[in-house]
Amino acid sequence: MTFGGTDDFARPCVSSITSSGHRLVLLTADNVRIEAEYTPYRGPDTGAATPPAIVVAHGFTGSLDRPAVRRAARAFAQYAGVITFSFRGHGGSGGRSTLGDLEVLDLAAAVGWARALGHERVATVGFSMGASVALRHAALHRPVPAGADAPTAERHEEHGGRIDAHADTVVSVSGPARWYYRGTAPMRRLHWAISRPSGRLLARCVLRTRVRASDWDPVPMSPTEAVPLIAPRRLLIVHGDRDSYFPLDHPRMLAAAAGPEATLWIEPGFGHAESAAGVGLLGRIGEWAVGSFSPTRPSP
């Protein structure tokens, strides 16, 4: 296998200890190089042997080095160890973006790294496109029931994904409920851009985002189809009443499909995804994610 060429020009990313943790390259199940960084837990000493981990899935055109993603990592590090990464086609990662389809493999690689680092409890927090990826990842990577025999585990791995790559709790922020939505001006502009060579060239040159030209085949399960498969794990759906991309029928549709395991926050004055998420909201999300691991539910 070779790396390079027009589809994969990720910058060199060697393992190194930095001021914010450990950065390295992860290899996905389909052999795409994904840049990732680990930020250790920086909160008060709780006496726990190993803190939980939060894996952050950014939105379209984001990357682990974007200021909004770094802000989220700093906020979440007060509650857990944090893994940030760049989806395929974004930042220094290889490959091309498939707009949320094969990105499930990128998130699985990041969750697998969290478990390899010794974190027994892992939460995924996805923003916008990353939210749809987090929901589908949780639906496809489900924990094997305790005491399951080997054949059951093998069947689970065949049909549901890698056993060690499942999330224990999921947070969706500013996520869509359905595909091909064009009901707002920003989404119409986005669809125009990704469907035309000139738009993809602009995304590549200006936003450092390389988008695959071909359409989905087959179309992946929608977020609304995915959320019922997450239970009994806990799910938090966060959406702003000033989201210019997806109106409030999207989070309400997700919450209705998810059932009683889901918690819905409609945030007054909140816009869209990680770029609009302030430290206060991020702190509440981190607190909820870590609190969801307790036997009792976190407060709404």
Side-chain angles (χ1 to χ4, degrees), residues 78-167:
Q78 301 303 310
Y79 303 91
V82 181
I83 287 179
T84 50
F85 66 97
S86 299
F87 279 122
R88 62 185 62 204
H90 291 72
S93 291
R96 294 197 178 198
S97 173
T98 64
L99 302 166
D101 181 12
L102 297 179
E103 282 76 4
V104 168
L105 303 178
D106 308 345
L107 182 53
V111 172
W113 186 31
R115 298 204 180 277
L117 290 171
H119 294 283
E120 297 179 355
R121 297 166 296 168
V122 179
T124 52
V125 178
F127 296 89
S128 192
M129 181 191 77
S132 69
V133 174
L135 295 176
R136 289 182 51 247
H137 167 267
L140 295 171
H141 293 76
R142 298 185 294 276
V144 174
D149 56 17
T152 299
E154 290 172 1
R155 288 195 302 273
H156 173 89
E157 187 162 353
E158 178 182 356
H159 299 289
R162 287 171 45 194
I163 296 169
D164 64 342
H166 73 273

Side-chain angles (χ1 to χ4, degrees), residues 152-229:
T152 299
E154 290 172 1
R155 288 195 302 273
H156 173 89
E157 187 162 353
E158 178 182 356
H159 299 289
R162 287 171 45 194
I163 296 169
D164 64 342
H166 73 273
D168 299 299
T169 195
V170 185
V171 181
S172 165
V173 184
S174 305
R178 53 194 184 274
W179 302 138
Y180 302 110
Y181 178 72
R182 293 178 173 84
T184 57
M187 287 305 297
R188 287 191 290 272
R189 289 194 295 268
L190 174 62
H191 281 281
W192 181 90
I194 63 178
S195 62
R196 288 165 171 76
S198 58
R200 292 191 295 272
L201 179 62
L202 178 67
R204 176 174 177 157
C205 295
V206 176
L207 301 174
R208 294 195 64 203
T209 303
R210 291 91 62 199
V211 182
R212 191 177 69 179
S214 56
D215 199 0
W216 289 333
D217 184 22
V219 175
M221 76 165 70
S222 72
T224 303
E225 293 171 323
V227 288
L229 303 177

Side-chain angles (χ1 to χ4, degrees), residues 12-36:
C13 181
V14 298
S15 299
S16 60
I17 300 297
T18 69
S19 59
S20 55
H22 194 159
R23 180 172 290 207
L24 48 63
V25 167
L26 303 173
L27 195 63
T28 67
D30 62 341
N31 296 319
V32 175
R33 294 184 298 172
I34 301 298
E35 62 173 359

Side-chain angles (χ1 to χ4, degrees), residues 264-281:
L264 174 61
W265 292 355
I266 301 296
E267 293 294 309
F270 175 44
H272 184 72
E274 64 265 43
S275 61
V279 173
L281 176 58

